[in-house]
Amino acid sequence: MNPSFLMKASDIRKSYGAVEALRGVNFHISRGETVALVGDNGAGKSTLVKILSGATRPTSGGIEFDGKNVALDNTDIARELGIETVYQDLGLCSNLTVAENIYLGREIVRRLGPFRMLAKREMHRRAAHVLKDLSINVPRTSANVAGLSGGQRQAVALARARLWERSMILLDEPTAALGVQETRRAMDSVRQIRNEGTAVVLITHSMPMVMEMSDRVVVMRRGEKVGDVPTSKLGSADAIVSLITGATERWIEEPTPFEPRIAEGAAS
Ligand SMILES: Nc1ncnc2c1ncn2[C@@H]1O[C@H](COP(=O)(O)OP(=O)(O)O)[C@@H](O)[C@H]1O
Ligand SMILES: [Mg+2]
């Protein structure tokens, strides 16, 4: 086995009643690598991401993280390992503020004698800092998420994933609901996260984004992995589309050690 794999999932199966959402999928990712996960609707992309993030348990199959077998029984276990996820629905609570969403479930608590108090000001300060770091315009960290645009919500979800020590981030169609400008901002954030050495799994239907952002492309079709190819070998987006539709049956390359790219000079 390639020792540089950060995560390796073997023969993952998932059935929902009679529906076989995943039929024996092998997936791996190295430290610092960006893998685009593509496929038609219903191909099994979200199911795979949910399994890798502990949100769903596989029917069978094994997952190794950092060379050790792990049971990702819930998202807390995954987060402990440094696996953060931005789900398709973003998983934000619209009745809470920006800062509360970023800190949900991991609030900073201060002890004062026998009392435990929420360090609200500290949370707002740090939330504002991480948003600024991602060059994201969110009006106030005390604003309710309900009043934010799609792009701003996306930013909050990314900021939440970014604030924590993480080795891997899973993004399920992060820009599906965004306009052109917002998509560009969100992609800048992802690029920044990637350049810090975090492994990224990016689900997207945008072929230009796949070609620009990914080191490797994994193609799902009807619950199976039918493509696993370094992006540089694909040549063009057409090759990916052929795998998605089935015009190309299968193209799976042997894993090779991932060589981190040179960080692109501080993009904007
Ligand atoms: N919670 C669920 N219950 C039943 N079937 C599901 C559930 N989640 C996904 N599926 C089914 O599993 C298959 C794969 O879905 P999904 O992973 O969401 O695909 P994708 O993200 O590639 O569009 C689809 O046939 C879908 O209907
Ligand atoms: Mg999906």
Side-chain angles (χ1 to χ4, degrees), residues 65 70 72 76-83 165-168:
F65 190 84
V70 289
L72 301 179
D76 287 347
I77 294 176
R79 281 175 159 194
E80 289 286 316
L81 295 171
I83 301 166
E165 273 298 313
R166 76 240 159 310
S167 45
M168 177 168 169

Side-chain angles (χ1 to χ4, degrees), residues 127-200:
H129 184 76
V130 73
L131 286 167
K132 182 157 170 278
D133 233 32
L134 285 169
S135 28
I136 285 162
N137 278 323
V138 172
R140 285 165 296 118
T141 54
S142 57
N144 258 18
V145 161
L148 301 185
S149 73
Q152 290 170 329
R153 282 159 171 264
Q154 182 59 46
V156 172
L158 278 169
R160 185 171 61 184
R162 181 150 195 260
L163 194 60
W164 312 101
E165 273 298 313
R166 76 240 159 310
S167 45
M168 177 168 169
I169 179 166
L170 302 151
L171 303 161
D172 195 348
E173 302 198 33
T175 59
L178 304 187
V180 175
Q181 193 71 20
E182 291 181 330
T183 297
R184 194 168 304 138
R185 282 234 185 84
M187 281 305 103
D188 283 345
S189 308
V190 173
R191 209 171 283 120
Q192 219 173 315
I193 288 167
R194 182 187 78 186
N195 288 346
E196 288 165 358
T198 301
V200 178

